[in-house]
Amino acid sequence: MSEFPKGRALFVMPTSIGDPTPAIAQGMVHLFNEAGNSVGYVKPVRESDEVSDTDVVSAIPRRHAERLIREDRTDDLLDLVVATVIETRGERDIMVVEGVSLLPGRSLISEMNQAMAAGLSGDIMPFVCGANDKPEDVIDRIDDVLHGIKRMRGKTPVRIIVGAPADRDAAAELRQALDRAALPCPCELLTIDKGIAAAPSKAAIEKLADAMRGWFPELFRAPHLRSVTPPLFRYRMVEMARKANKRIVLPEGDEPRTLKAAAICAEKGIAQCVLLGKPDEIRAVATQIGVTLPHSVEILDPDILRPQYVAPMVELRKSKGLTAEQANDALQDTVVLGTMMLAQNDVDGLVSGAVHTTASTVRPALQLIKTRPDASLVSSVFFMLLPEQVVIYGDCAINPDPTAEQLAEIAIQSAETAETFGIDPRVAMISYSTGNSGQGADVDKVKDATARVREARPELKIDGPMQYDAATVESVARSKAPDSDVAGRANVFVFPDLNTGNTTYKAVQRSADVISVGPMLQGLRKPVNDLSRGALVDDIVYTIALTAIQASDMESDAAVLRVAAE
């Protein structure tokens, strides 16, 4: 179901005032078009009065972008940038993205470019001027640029474009110095004609394209691991939820954060929200917190709804001897009522937990919705929105001490969730030991679970047992697990027990100030998702979006199973 972009993106990034990045970007567009590729060209942030006769899309005025950074709303800026790039991309093979030209006295522009480098899931190609300086000064400048990009993103550029001296001997001297410096990424020398930055002519752009011709065959043949960045994840999650167009019940209908989230979901078209509660009380709370509920947000009175679900609940729980009176009593709880609405296909998903415990949300789902035919347990994942990518942690909320068999199932469920949301899963089975470095029952359980997953899903990239640093840090991975195709690059982390998983996710969330979305429940026949009681409004919005996407994905799976059965 993944609808995340598959094409290549190149971000051409200026690093000093007067850099010719517009001409370089246009040269790349010319080169790729000439080779028969479908190419998009976008400059997400523009000068308000900027006029260009090139086929470039520009969207966000620079002053507005700077204001968002000053207000500590960089995430909002990145959401706009990602939306601009993706909407321009369409089905194109390649996107050329041009950074913001630096201006005197505008120090925030450099931060803006670095933030875009972090937020866009593409390759960074910064330009560094080297035409008029000593080679050692140029190398120092490159080191500064690498430091700034790594600080924001944690990765190195795919290429550095170095403006070369016009003099051949000086250019050769600079080339030799760059080779000796052993920089962490290739440096390409490019001679820039005088005046091209101000007014790039067609002939000058074609000349640049010709000079860059030898760069890209290697670039496009090289193995490339594309991470899903937080802005990209947020954007695509909202888009997928809109297309799903699902009806999501919110049992905590008069809870203020839930009310705000329902209004936002309606305005953005994320889902059709159904609030359970007394209509007068819900509207009073909405007025008190300054929220205008759109007409598309349904408000249903539990007292009116309840009678129609008594008999179906008795039928679902007849093996437990449930009576009509007991069912009526249980349905006084709006979470139970909302779960029955889901069981009867009157809604597509349920989100609760802003004021209820996890047990209060999950127990009715286990009793009334039950697990999928191919699942023996329910597990959970958190989407951890790290600065440079989104990763998945499981299980951090449900299973206290899973067996090896259960741990294997959690790993498979988590990998499937990753695939649904456009993340190519590389699963690390976390332990206090990497490979055969440690012994004991806890390590043996992880080894056994890893072997079970490999047998059940041989195509899945998975490794374990593995320590967290070996799973995430390439230098550690080279030392501890040099032959692993997961070590140092993991994006799905499966913890051996709830104690480890819950502690780790909260430590990362709080210490690194990372947004976590979830827990999202896995293994149920229909989507029910729990909220943290400390959830923010945005957390609830994204959880509703996740639930809508799950509902659509489960419908697709059910359709496949029906066809197979026929």
Side-chain angles (χ1 to χ4, degrees):
M1 171 173 175
S2 169
E3 299 175 20
F4 285 73
K6 298 176 181 178
R8 199 71 182 268
L10 296 170
F11 179 61
V12 185
M13 175 178 163
T15 62
S16 58
I17 295 170
D19 283 352
T21 45
I24 293 171
Q26 291 172 48
M28 290 182 182
V29 171
H30 177 86
L31 180 62
F32 296 141
N33 275 324
E34 186 183 73
N37 295 289
S38 173
V39 185
Y41 178 21
V42 59
K43 183 174 182 178
V45 178
R46 60 175 172 82
E47 292 292 338
S48 299
D49 57 352
E50 186 174 27
V51 178
S52 173
D53 59 0
T54 61
D55 186 20
V56 58
V57 175
S58 299
I60 308 159
R62 173 182 52 77
R63 291 182 183 277
H64 178 60
E66 288 176 308
R67 184 166 63 251
L68 290 175
I69 291 179
R70 289 190 202 102
E71 295 172 356
D72 292 326
R73 295 170 59 197
T74 302
D75 281 352
D76 291 341
L77 170 61
L78 291 179
D79 287 347
L80 292 173
V81 168
V82 165
T84 301
V85 173
I86 292 178
E87 288 164 11
T88 306
R89 178 196 295 270
E91 297 299 319
R92 293 180 174 92
D93 302 321
I94 301 169
M95 282 297 297
V96 176
V97 184
E98 183 188 326
V100 191
S101 298
L102 274 62
L103 297 170
R106 296 286 185 175
S107 60
L108 289 183
I109 296 179
S110 179
E111 183 178 341
M112 192 186 305
N113 280 324
Q114 290 180 352
M116 285 196 288
L120 292 168
S121 182
D123 293 315
I124 312 166
M125 299 184 72
F127 177 86
V128 175
C129 182
N132 303 309
D133 296 301
K134 295 178 181 179
E136 55 267 33
D137 293 331
V138 177
I139 291 170
D140 285 345
R141 190 176 301 131
I142 290 171
D143 282 335
D144 290 347
V145 170
L146 288 170
H147 173 74
I149 292 173
K150 188 164 186 177
R151 180 172 55 84
M152 289 292 294
R153 187 176 184 182
K155 295 183 180 178
T156 55
V158 68
R159 290 285 192 281
I160 294 177
I161 308 170
V162 181
D167 181 81
R168 289 188 178 182
D169 291 339
E173 183 183 357
L174 177 56
R175 177 74 272 167
Q176 291 171 3
L178 291 170
D179 292 341
R180 288 194 303 269
L183 294 162
C185 60
C187 292
E188 306 285 1
L189 291 183
L190 192 62
T191 302
I192 306 296
D193 292 342
K194 188 175 181 180
I196 194 173
S201 66
K202 182 179 179 181
I205 289 169
E206 290 176 354
K207 182 179 177 181
L208 281 177
D210 193 57
M212 294 185 288
R213 195 174 303 280
W215 299 0
F216 296 102
E218 177 189 347
L219 176 63
F220 282 88
R221 285 196 303 267
H224 181 69
L225 294 174
R226 185 173 306 285
S227 62
V228 176
T229 63
L232 178 61
F233 178 77
R234 291 192 296 265
Y235 176 85
R236 280 299 174 183
M237 183 166 54
V238 169
E239 288 299 299
M240 290 167 75
R242 283 174 178 161
K243 290 181 181 179
N245 191 31
K246 296 302 178 185
R247 194 164 179 246
I248 308 300
V249 64
L250 308 174
E252 300 160 326
D254 57 359
E255 197 279 322
R257 292 164 295 167
T258 302
L259 273 173
K260 290 179 181 178
I264 292 169
C265 286
E267 290 163 7
K268 293 187 175 183
I270 290 172
Q272 304 168 39
C273 291
V274 179
L275 300 173
L276 296 186
K278 292 292 185 182
D280 290 345
E281 294 176 6
I282 289 175
R283 292 191 182 99
V285 173
T287 300
Q288 184 179 355
I289 61 176
V291 169
T292 300
L293 287 173
H295 294 300
S296 58
V297 175
E298 296 180 67
I299 303 174
L300 300 182
D301 188 334
D303 291 340
I304 296 174
L305 281 179
R306 192 175 299 113
Q308 72 187 72
Y309 292 105
V310 171
M313 186 171 179
V314 169
E315 177 64 22
L316 282 173
R317 300 288 289 166
K318 62 184 178 182
S319 64
K320 301 297 182 182
L322 187 74
T323 66
E325 184 179 359
Q326 290 170 330
N328 186 70
D329 289 343
L331 288 165
Q332 301 293 322
D333 183 340
T334 53
V335 176
V336 176
L337 180 59
T339 306
M340 274 304 305
M341 294 174 70
L342 181 57
Q344 294 299 107
N345 299 317
D346 294 330
V347 292
D348 301 302
L350 178 147
V351 174
S352 179
V355 293
H356 288 82
T357 64
T358 295
S360 297
T361 299
V362 175
R363 188 182 300 110
L366 291 173
Q367 293 172 342
L368 303 170
I369 302 298
K370 305 186 186 303
T371 57
R372 293 183 339 216
D374 61 342
S376 67
L377 54 72
V378 174
S379 65
S380 72
V381 292
F382 282 91
F383 294 88
M384 305 297 290
L385 277 59
L386 306 179
E388 70 279 1
Q389 67 172 329
V390 176
V391 300
I392 288 175
Y393 283 3
D395 173 3
C396 303
I398 303 294
N399 297 283
D401 188 17
T403 64
E405 183 178 10
Q406 291 172 330
L407 197 60
E409 186 170 351
I410 291 168
I412 292 172
Q413 289 179 347
S414 301
E416 290 173 348
T417 292
E419 290 167 345
T420 296
F421 289 90
I423 299 171
D424 182 18
R426 298 185 296 278
V427 184
M429 304 294 282
I430 299 300
S431 172
Y432 63 78
S433 166
T434 298
N436 296 315
S437 66
Q439 296 180 342
D442 291 338
V443 176
D444 290 341
K445 179 176 81 169
V446 177
K447 284 182 181 178
D448 187 5
T450 305
R452 290 171 181 269
V453 175
R454 285 176 173 157
E455 182 178 357
R457 290 281 302 270
E459 79 287 358
L460 189 62
K461 296 183 181 70
I462 184 169
D463 205 353
M466 188 175 293
Q467 291 161 290
Y468 193 92
D469 58 350
T472 56
V473 182
E474 290 189 9
S475 59
V476 177
R478 286 193 295 270
S479 171
K480 293 186 174 183
D483 299 325
S484 173
D485 61 355
V486 170
R489 305 181 300 175
N491 54 19
V492 178
F493 300 83
V494 178
F495 296 98
D497 53 52
L498 185 59
N499 185 43
T500 307
N502 192 272
T503 300
T504 302
Y505 115 74
K506 288 193 173 180
V508 172
Q509 179 191 38
R510 298 300 181 182
S511 299
D513 193 24
V514 164
I515 294 173
S516 64
V517 179
M520 191 186 91
L521 302 186
Q522 307 173 133
L524 288 166
R525 288 192 304 112
K526 296 181 181 181
V528 172
N529 283 314
D530 183 36
L531 297 166
S532 164
R533 277 169 283 175
L536 303 176
V537 172
D538 281 350
D539 298 334
I540 301 174
V541 170
Y542 290 133
T543 303
I544 292 170
L546 289 175
T547 307
I549 295 165
Q550 271 187 297
S552 181
D553 196 54
M554 289 176 181
E555 278 185 5
S556 299
D557 288 346
V560 170
L561 290 173
R562 283 196 300 271
V563 170
E566 293 169 1

